[in-house]
Amino acid sequence: ETGVTQTPRHLVMGMTNKKSLKCEQHLGHNAMYWYKQSAKKPLELMFVYSLEERVENNSVPSRFSPECPNSSHLFLHLHTLQPEDSALYLCASSHDPLTDTQYFGPGTRLTVL
Amino acid sequence: GENVEQHPSTLSVQEGDSAVIKCTYSDSASNYFPWYKQELGKGPQLIIDIRSNVGEKKDQRIAVTLNKTAKHFSLHITETQPEDSAVYFCAATIRPANNLFFGTGTRLTVIP
């Protein structure tokens, strides 16, 4: 176990649904990340939070909305998704947002029907 | 931005043989190159990394080499074991920054 947990592990939703992904880190880290992992494509960084403030947003569609209420928790709120949003969503954390190793959670497998 | 290419996409080796995975990067300013291993149902885990001021780094059966002139770096696994079977990702970034640019992954299968 890496100390980063994600729930749920699997999620199936319709295009009109609203759902949320949750990530929790038990490592005392200060930075958290959301990545999207699609088949045969590189991992794509979506959002970076440092000390609960968003520091990077890599042009992600507004149907993905992150929330970081404290340094241990990170959410990804989903609404009106498209089938092409189906992917594995990975959360990661690091002690320092600029220089430290990122530790990944197991991911949430999302399927949009 | 940085573009990382990774080859091969799949690799099968006999147990005990060596495996080599290669990556190239486009931005000569990149200075940090981690390698991640992703097992089925798990997130990627860092297995080794190298900084641009070093040409080679070794950790037991795993080694990474870096050629800054050619802008490529490689992962070498010796004496492979079935538990080495996984998907391996290379990445590159310019420190200080933590926006990792990943390759597309190599699925390694070690045949007992």
Side-chain angles (χ1 to χ4, degrees):
Chain A
E1 296 298 327
T2 63
V4 181
T5 58
Q6 291 186 242
T7 54
R9 294 294 308 275
H10 301 270
L11 178 62
V12 179
M13 59 187 289
M15 290 191 287
T16 58
N17 292 157
K18 290 184 180 181
K19 296 287 184 183
S20 296
L21 310 185
K22 179 182 176 181
C23 175
E24 184 173 0
Q25 58 94 1
H26 312 272
L27 302 168
H29 287 169
N30 296 314
M32 297 187 78
Y33 313 77
W34 278 118
Y35 283 87
K36 177 183 179 182
Q37 186 175 31
S38 305
K40 300 190 190 307
K41 292 178 69 175
L43 274 76
E44 302 170 54
L45 180 65
M46 300 174 72
F47 301 102
V48 181
Y49 275 83
S50 174
L51 297 172
E52 303 140 51
E53 289 192 17
R54 189 190 306 179
V55 298
E56 187 152 353
N57 172 359
N58 284 350
S59 303
V60 178
S62 60
R63 57 186 183 268
F64 295 92
S65 176
E67 178 189 1
C68 188
N70 55 63
S71 59
S72 298
H73 294 87
L74 184 65
F75 295 89
L76 189 62
H77 304 299
L78 316 171
H79 65 96
T80 58
L81 295 191
Q82 305 298 311
E84 58 264 30
D85 297 322
S86 298
L88 182 69
Y89 288 84
L90 291 161
C91 173
S93 72
S94 68
H95 183 70
D96 184 302
L98 295 179
T99 59
D100 266 0
T101 298
Q102 294 179 33
Y103 293 85
F104 285 83
T108 294
R109 174 69 62 186
L110 174 67
T111 303
V112 182
L113 301 176
Chain B
E2 174 68 280
N3 181 45
V4 178
E5 295 191 357
Q6 183 172 347
H7 300 281
S9 56
T10 60
L11 179 61
S12 292
V13 298
Q14 291 291 138
E15 183 176 358
D17 287 351
S18 295
V20 180
I21 302 170
K22 298 182 179 182
C23 289
T24 60
Y25 60 99
S26 60
D27 192 340
S28 57
S30 289
N31 58 10
Y32 175 68
F33 307 91
W35 284 89
Y36 282 83
K37 175 184 180 182
Q38 186 174 22
E39 297 176 279
L40 193 63
K42 297 184 179 180
Q45 286 193 301
L46 180 73
I47 55 172
I48 195 167
D49 57 13
I50 192 167
R51 286 166 170 76
S52 59
N53 59 347
V54 176
E56 183 174 359
K57 184 176 178 181
K58 190 172 182 180
D59 182 4
Q60 299 183 339
R61 297 185 297 108
I62 294 173
V64 58
T65 59
L66 171 65
N67 183 327
K68 286 188 293 183
T69 304
K71 291 189 285 188
H72 66 70
F73 56 113
S74 301
L75 178 71
H76 304 254
I77 306 174
T78 58
E79 302 171 26
T80 53
Q81 301 168 3
E83 52 265 38
D84 294 330
S85 296
V87 180
Y88 291 81
F89 294 93
C90 62
T93 192
I94 303 170
R95 287 278 173 89
N98 228 351
N99 188 355
L100 293 173
F101 293 89
F102 284 86
T104 49
T106 296
R107 182 173 298 280
L108 173 65
T109 303
V110 179
I111 304 165

